[in-house]
Amino acid sequence: MMHRIELGPGADPDGFRQAVRGLIARSVPPQEVVWATQGSPDLFGEAIAADAPAVALPRAVGELANLVVCHRDPERYALLYTLIWRITHGERGLLEVASDPLVHRLDMMAKAVGRDLHKMHAFLRFRRVEAEDGERFIAWFEPDHFILEATASFFVGRFPGMRWSILTPIGSLHWNGQELAVGPAAERSQAPGSDDVEQGWLGYYQSAFHPARANPEAMRAEMPKKYWHNMAETQAIPDLLRSAPSRVRDMLEREAAMPIKRNPDKAVAAMSEQDPKTLAELNRIISEAGPLVPGATQAVLGEGPLGANVAFVGEQPGDQEDLQGRPFVGPAGQLLDRAMKEAGIDRSRVYVTNAVKHFKYELRGKKRIHQKPTAGEVKHYRWWLDKELALVRPRLIVALGATAVLALAGKPLPITRCRGPAEFQGRPGFITVHPSYLLRLPDETAKRQAYADFMRDLREIEAMVEKRAA
Ligand code: URA
């Protein structure tokens, strides 16, 4: 029998929660449910009266669902219910399996909604109008998803003492200083033009503008042009760039840090069910999976020919690699290039990659400071690295530093004792230091000595490759 669940327009988290309780209590499988929202065409089946007890779910599921219900995708409730059904029917740890197609899709949806919330918090602009009953602030905004009610507490908390309205094409919010009312959709023409902007509000936004946007490219990426017409400060940017402290960015960073906890063991088990046949296919899977810890611009994939003489495996991309989307292009990469050249290693015959494919960092002011991946993160990416090397089939695999050793050997090994020829799961290998270690040494003599030792390793690597080729 089919069950038709009708939920409110837009995002209806409460209605969804209630419906889930009723459906789970009656053991209704996902394929017997049709999810409709008010205003959608009439379908078959009956509405379920949902008065059942709460369903015990891992906390992360609730957090994910709160975001996903705001997504525009008409399938959002069906997908979430399928997830909940599977979690309550023997797959308790499902959410930790990042590579499961359903989990991956829901993660992507949650991320899209998260970005939309960030944009609305950061780029919505109020304009002051003198109404008959006094001063009021009105803003126009066009969200991509049904996030209006999800943002209400943010704006009430931020502007509690003002009377304001937020108008959008999907509904409106009205705050009178005490109560919040949700109203109908609005049109842009109902919002005031920029002439009404009050200096005090502009001041508020000036103080909230983030200096990272001093980079015009980053600014355009972070602040898409579609929002500019609402924003008086786009005219004031040169001044803002000189003076702004980082309040909004801190806020965005806090909210962006909504990591969904994963269990690397389970992720690995599920990933091994995927079987990419080409490097391109594998790279697509890695790129689509997204970063384990939010923040990276993109996945940085390996580079070089199939059947390369040597595969150099580093730790994880750094700041430059993250921006350019290529491995070893920053300072450590330049040092590696120079050393390879000196050792007579032909760069065009070499494959270069990393144990971890996404940049992880901590923001210090404007700087993104590299953070070492945890053992769990290395493990998460390990299956991919293994597959990558199996597809590239290099003659020799070189581990650059401790993280690469952990990823390739599957256990931590001291570089000082294991430096030199090695074997990684039956494949010929070599262990040496990471080039960034040479850059970090404070003392010039130590640096010179370390570089000479590194050069000796590279020459040995070259000799091993030549021998294998002979
Ligand atoms: N360090 C690494 O380990 N890899 C890079 O790609 C850059 C720096």
Side-chain angles (χ1 to χ4, degrees):
M1 165 178 169
M2 292 303 287
H3 299 272
R4 178 180 195 262
I5 304 294
E6 185 174 294
L7 298 175
D12 184 0
D14 295 337
F16 176 66
R17 214 166 289 124
Q18 236 196 349
V20 167
R21 290 177 185 184
L23 292 167
I24 294 286
R26 291 166 181 78
S27 284
V28 179
Q31 62 274 20
E32 290 181 14
V33 187
V34 173
W35 297 89
T37 49
Q38 277 161 28
S40 51
D42 216 15
L43 297 161
F44 47 88
E46 286 171 23
I48 283 187
D51 51 1
V55 180
L57 290 168
R59 203 173 141 152
V61 179
E63 287 165 9
L64 179 83
N66 282 340
L67 288 169
V68 172
V69 293
C70 300
H71 201 280
R72 265 195 188 274
D73 191 332
E75 286 189 69
R76 62 192 178 282
Y77 296 121
L79 294 169
L80 277 174
Y81 185 58
T82 304
L83 178 90
I84 291 168
W85 177 265
R86 287 176 58 189
I87 286 174
T88 52
H89 288 78
E91 292 183 80
R92 187 91 192 147
L94 177 59
L95 204 51
E96 286 149 4
V97 185
S99 53
D100 181 279
L102 175 65
V103 173
H104 180 60
R105 180 161 170 197
L106 288 167
D107 267 0
M108 292 293 113
M109 290 168 77
K111 284 202 177 99
V113 171
R115 278 196 300 275
D116 208 23
L117 287 165
H118 299 157
K119 300 254 187 292
M120 185 157 175
H121 293 171
F123 305 145
L124 179 136
R125 298 295 175 261
F126 285 107
R127 270 128 203 185
R128 191 174 72 90
V129 292
E130 276 302 331
E132 274 174 17
D133 55 349
E135 183 184 62
R136 190 164 196 100
F137 292 87
I138 301 183
W140 168 254
F141 196 80
E142 293 166 57
D144 291 332
H145 300 286
F146 300 120
I147 57 170
L148 189 59
E149 287 168 62
T151 61
S153 59
F154 172 86
F155 288 106
V156 168
R158 194 50 69 108
F159 308 115
M162 308 284 173
R163 295 190 318 141
W164 51 255
S165 294
I166 296 176
L167 311 180
T168 83
I170 54 164
S172 49
L173 289 177
H174 308 273
W175 173 250
N176 65 5
Q178 273 155 3
E179 280 180 339
L180 186 76
V182 180
E187 287 177 13
R188 186 200 293 257
S189 59
Q190 292 171 267
S194 58
D195 291 350
D196 303 306
V197 175
E198 195 200 46
Q199 279 310 307
W201 285 90
L202 186 57
Y204 163 77
Y205 289 113
Q206 280 170 330
S207 74
F209 194 87
H210 190 264
R213 295 179 193 131
N215 173 345
E217 241 173 68
M219 190 181 87
R220 269 194 295 278
E222 179 68 15
M223 191 199 289
K225 277 214 152 162
K226 94 175 210 199
Y227 302 111
W228 285 29
H229 61 87
N230 288 329
M231 301 164 64
E233 74 273 29
T234 50
Q235 283 122 51
I237 280 169
D239 284 345
L240 289 166
L241 292 180
R242 277 191 285 276
S243 62
S246 58
R247 277 170 53 196
V248 160
R249 185 52 172 250
D250 288 348
M251 171 194 92
L252 293 181
E253 286 304 316
R254 270 202 307 280
E255 293 198 8
M258 291 189 276
I260 297 163
K261 289 249 178 261
R262 309 222 178 283
N263 177 336
D265 282 329
K266 294 224 177 86
V268 169
M271 275 189 278
S272 49
E273 282 160 23
Q274 301 176 349
D275 192 18
K277 297 281 184 292
T278 63
L279 193 57
E281 220 179 299
L282 173 70
N283 284 342
R284 186 183 47 75
I285 293 171
I286 298 173
S287 298
E288 285 178 3
L292 194 57
V293 178
T297 311
Q298 56 195 312
V300 176
L301 306 166
E303 223 176 65
L306 295 181
N309 279 347
V310 191
F312 283 95
V313 180
E315 180 190 74
Q316 77 176 345
D319 181 72
Q320 280 307 309
E321 286 80 12
D322 174 69
L323 295 174
Q324 297 184 38
R326 298 185 55 210
F328 283 100
V329 289
Q334 284 158 21
L335 185 98
L336 180 64
D337 273 357
R338 185 185 124 200
M340 274 200 281
K341 209 168 182 178
E342 273 178 49
I345 297 176
D346 180 357
R347 176 79 213 241
S348 67
R349 309 283 313 273
V350 157
Y351 186 84
V352 180
T353 191
N354 284 298
V356 167
K357 310 297 186 201
H358 292 93
F359 180 39
K360 184 171 86 167
Y361 61 90
E362 186 185 286
L363 258 192
R364 277 196 221 137
K366 268 167 78 170
K367 281 211 165 120
R368 306 193 302 169
I369 308 295
H370 160 273
Q371 276 195 307
K372 198 175 159 59
T374 63
E377 284 154 18
V378 173
K379 199 167 177 183
H380 172 84
Y381 288 90
R382 191 165 177 242
W383 183 86
W384 283 329
L385 178 65
D386 232 37
K387 194 81 199 163
E388 182 183 8
L389 294 171
L391 290 165
V392 173
R393 284 177 294 99
R395 291 205 175 112
L396 185 73
I397 301 169
V398 176
L400 297 168
T403 301
V405 170
L406 174 62
L408 291 165
K411 58 183 177 199
L413 296 172
I415 305 272
T416 38
R417 268 198 278 130
C418 303
R419 193 166 181 168
E423 210 181 77
F424 301 127
Q425 297 173 67
R427 296 171 185 153
F430 195 98
I431 294 175
T432 185
V433 294
H434 192 285
S436 66
Y437 160 74
L438 309 178
L439 292 172
R440 279 199 309 269
L441 287 170
D443 172 66
E444 269 314 307
T445 318
K447 214 176 229 172
R448 230 171 293 130
Q449 180 59 50
Y451 187 75
D453 293 345
F454 188 55
M455 283 306 304
R456 203 190 49 234
D457 284 352
L458 290 188
R459 289 200 183 96
E460 190 173 343
I461 287 165
E462 171 62 5
M464 283 170 76
V465 170
E466 287 296 316
K467 204 163 134 201
R468 297 191 73 82

